[in-house]
C-alpha cells in the first residue's frame, strides 16, 4: 500500500461501501470494501475480482454464518477468510465492471 500523502489516487469505481482506485505514481491498485483494504498490481486486481465473481454461486463458497453472510472465500493464508452477503458481491461486481472499463480506456489513451 503506497503511503505517500501527495501521491495522486485515482478512483476508478466506487459505491457506498468502497472503491477501486489506482495510485498514479506507482500503479498500485487498491480494492477497498467496508473494512477490507487490499493492494494489488493491475493483473492481480483483475484475477481477484474475477475469482470473487466466478465463485459467488459455487457450492464451495456457500457457508451460512450467524451474521447473515453466506459466501465465504478461503484466502491463501490458512487462517483468513473473506465473507460476503450476496448484496455485497453485487457491489463488488458493479465496481469491478466500472473499473475494468476505465482500465481498458486508460490502456487505449495511455498505451505503455
Amino acid at each position: 500500500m503506497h503511503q505517500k500523502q501527495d501521491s495522486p489516487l485515482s478512483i476508478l469505481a466506487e459505491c457506498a461501501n468502497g472503491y477501486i482506485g489506482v495510485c498514479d505514481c506507482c500503479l498500485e491498485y487498491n480494492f477497498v470494501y467496508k473494512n477490507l483494504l487490499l493492494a494489488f498490481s493491475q493483473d492481480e486486481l483483475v484475477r481477484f475480482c474475477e475469482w470473487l465473481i466466478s465463485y459467488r454461486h459455487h457450492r464451495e463458497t456457500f457457508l451460512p454464518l450467524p451474521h447473515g453472510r453466506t459466501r465465504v472465500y478461503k484466502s491463501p493464508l490458512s487462517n483468513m477468510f473473506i465473507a460476503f452477503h450476496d448484496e455485497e458481491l453485487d457491489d463488488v461486481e458493479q465496481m469491478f465492471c466500472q473499473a475494468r472499463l476505465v482500465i481498458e480506456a486508460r490502456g487505449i489513451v495511455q498505451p505503455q
Side-chain angles (χ1 to χ4, degrees), residues 36-70:
L36 181 66
L37 185 152
L38 302 170
F40 297 107
S41 70
Q42 181 179 315
D43 289 341
E44 292 167 339
L45 172 74
V46 169
R47 282 195 309 270
F48 174 75
C49 290
E50 286 177 344
W51 171 64
L52 289 179
I53 293 164
S54 67
Y55 280 89
R56 76 177 289 179
H57 298 295
H58 198 275
R59 65 183 169 154
E60 238 176 59
T61 62
F62 183 71
L63 178 63
L65 298 174
H67 65 295
R69 290 189 166 91
T70 58

Side-chain angles (χ1 to χ4, degrees), residues 61-86:
T61 62
F62 183 71
L63 178 63
L65 298 174
H67 65 295
R69 290 189 166 91
T70 58
R71 295 295 164 186
V72 178
Y73 296 80
K74 185 177 193 257
S75 80
L77 301 173
S78 64
N79 64 342
M80 189 175 108
F81 299 83
I82 306 169
F84 292 98
H85 290 281
D86 277 329

Side-chain angles (χ1 to χ4, degrees), residues 1-2 8 20 22-24 27-29 31 34 44 46 50 52 66-67 69 76 90 95 97 101 103 106 108-109:
M1 182 172 67
H2 192 72
I20 296 175
V22 61
C23 174
D24 292 324
L27 298 180
E28 181 178 81
Y29 288 77
F31 174 90
K34 295 193 176 183
E44 292 167 339
V46 169
E50 286 177 344
L52 289 179
H67 65 295
R69 290 189 166 91
D90 290 340
M95 282 196 313
C97 287
L101 289 173
I103 290 168
R106 284 177 148 210
I108 293 168
V109 175

Side-chain angles (χ1 to χ4, degrees), residues 10 18 25 41 63 76 83-84 87 98 110-111:
S10 297
C25 144
S41 70
L63 178 63
F84 292 98
E87 295 81 17
Q98 292 170 13
Q110 303 167 345

